Amino acid sequence: MKNSLTFSVTALLVIVCYGFRAQTCGAELPPLPDKEGFAGSFAGVSNGALLVAGGANFPDKKPWEGGTKVWYDQVYVLEKPTGKWQIAGKLPHALGYGAAVQFTDRLICIGGSDATQHYKDVFFLDWKDGKLQTVKLPELPIAMANCCGVMVGNHLFVAGGLSSPMSNKTLNRIFCMHLTARDPEWKEIAPCPGGGRMLAVAANLNDQFWLISGVDLIVDNSGKPQRKYLQDAYSYHMEKGWKRHADLPWPTVAAPSPAPVHENSLFVLGGDDGTQVAVPPNQHQGFQKTILRYSTAEDKWLKIGKLKLPTVTTSTAFWNQQWVIPTGETRPGVRTPIVGTFRP
């Protein structure tokens, strides 16, 4: 673990408000105490405290310099916006790139990966009386990483991703579990009409499960999988099934998930639009900056603002009346310790 960075009050204010335009920048939050930051972390709230767990980075050299990606098991806790991040404890093992979902006052970590494999693990993280507790839930039917998930009422949804590090085909499997049932168990629902995808964005809008954008993998003539960027959007109703909505203006792959929602709108914060796929990582200019709002009344995506420092492969958490977007990837191989905030 790298040494913590010390930030002055002035620098902190600049850093946090650098994340979003003034009209969408919330209260100042301290950056994570790791100079690199993480991609693929789990984030959520437990008993009033903000938790950020796991993830991966390149601690020594960037990937184009021959660096090795490292996964982590630490869990950070921030008990109040004006406080300091502390080490709350550890995950059962190093883990990242799963789905992070909020349920009542606990964070659910679903699936994910490390350097060698993908996992079926599902568990609560519960911060209580200054201690971190881990509570196991029923395992996923299959291993899933680079997936997305969200709560809809008492139902936990998880969708897409890859089943192993060697997969060249994305999953078009969606699982649901009624968490308050006497004996919770995973059930598979109908696949998305748009096909398999990973790094999609999940949302709960109007008590329906939404699955937005992502990438599919298409094997080329040489046998190598190539990314197919998607810009479609679907919702799933427990009784009515799937419904397609207006396509996004561009792909929003790996945008922070679950997507923030407010009243009858959901918000997609940037994402990878696929326009720099052929650009060498060390020359990448950063990800899409536009904030998109979907209006159910108009079935339309509207551009409502710009992100100054967009991040991908990160989770969201609703905390103290604002959406928190902790750490994440600013361009391929590069992370940030910045903790951004967003108010619709």
Side-chain angles (χ1 to χ4, degrees):
M1 182 65 63
K2 298 294 183 179
N3 291 335
S4 301
L5 293 181
T6 302
F7 294 86
S8 68
V9 173
T10 302
L12 173 59
L13 181 60
V14 171
I15 284 173
V16 174
C17 288
Y18 180 68
F20 301 97
R21 297 181 76 180
Q23 64 265 34
T24 60
C25 181
E28 299 84 5
L29 294 176
L32 280 179
D34 182 280
K35 77 171 188 178
E36 296 293 332
F38 307 96
S41 294
F42 301 88
V45 176
S46 179
N47 292 301
L50 179 63
L51 299 176
V52 177
N57 64 23
F58 293 86
D60 299 316
K61 296 180 180 180
K62 300 306 178 190
W64 56 86
E65 299 171 333
T68 300
K69 183 186 287 190
V70 177
W71 275 254
Y72 298 87
D73 62 1
Q74 79 289 316
V75 181
Y76 293 100
V77 61
L78 184 65
E79 294 193 296
K80 55 184 180 180
T82 57
K84 294 182 179 180
W85 288 100
Q86 302 174 27
I87 299 293
K90 292 185 176 183
L91 297 172
H93 51 81
L95 191 66
Y97 302 99
V101 176
Q102 186 70 41
F103 180 64
T104 60
D105 60 354
R106 291 180 287 183
L107 165 62
I108 309 175
C109 301
I110 308 165
S113 65
D114 61 18
T116 61
Q117 67 182 96
H118 292 181
Y119 287 90
K120 299 180 180 180
D121 298 6
V122 184
F123 52 88
F124 284 122
L125 290 182
D126 191 3
W127 177 253
K128 190 173 183 180
D129 298 327
K131 294 182 179 180
L132 183 70
Q133 299 179 347
T134 302
V135 181
K136 289 186 177 181
L137 290 168
E139 287 187 343
L140 290 164
I142 59 173
M144 300 174 76
N146 299 318
C147 51
C148 65
V150 73
M151 290 296 306
V152 179
N154 292 321
H155 289 84
L156 172 60
F157 286 84
V158 60
L162 297 173
S163 59
S164 81
M166 303 304 294
S167 296
N168 59 13
K169 184 177 181 181
T170 59
L171 294 168
N172 189 16
R173 302 186 69 179
I174 296 94
F175 299 101
C176 177
M177 180 167 59
H178 193 320
L179 281 183
T180 57
R182 176 174 295 180
D183 296 306
E185 61 179 351
W186 289 103
K187 296 181 179 180
E188 189 165 3
I189 67 171
C192 175
R197 64 195 65 211
M198 64 178 185
L199 300 173
V201 179
N204 173 4
L205 180 62
N206 296 331
D207 293 322
Q208 297 178 57
F209 168 60
W210 284 66
L211 187 60
I212 303 163
S213 187
V215 292
D216 196 5
L217 294 179
I218 307 297
V219 178
D220 63 19
N221 293 333
S222 66
K224 184 178 179 180
Q226 304 292 335
R227 288 190 171 194
K228 177 184 178 182
Y229 282 71
L230 307 173
Q231 57 193 85
D232 49 357
Y234 299 85
S235 65
Y236 179 83
H237 189 280
M238 295 292 288
E239 297 177 356
K240 299 177 182 178
W242 289 99
K243 178 181 178 180
R244 184 165 183 172
H245 300 273
D247 285 359
L248 291 85
W250 46 73
T252 57
V253 175
S257 182
V261 295
H262 181 68
E263 297 178 346
N264 290 319
S265 296
L266 66 81
F267 301 83
V268 177
L269 309 178
D272 180 4
D273 60 15
T275 58
Q276 299 184 71
V277 171
V279 175
N282 59 333
Q283 298 177 25
H284 198 282
Q285 298 300 302
F287 299 107
Q288 172 63 243
K289 296 182 178 181
T290 304
I291 302 170
L292 295 175
R293 177 177 73 87
Y294 176 80
S295 169
T296 55
E298 302 173 90
D299 186 28
K300 187 176 181 180
W301 294 92
L302 306 171
K303 305 171 190 177
I304 65 162
K306 292 283 188 180
L307 305 167
K308 290 187 177 180
L309 185 65
T311 56
V312 301
T313 57
T314 187
S315 307
T316 64
F318 190 70
W319 189 53
N320 287 325
Q321 305 305 309
Q322 62 189 346
W323 291 88
V324 180
I325 303 91
T327 190
E329 192 170 356
T330 60
R331 58 190 179 96
V334 180
R335 282 71 165 133
T336 177
I338 292 172
V339 179
T341 60
F342 173 76
R343 290 180 186 269

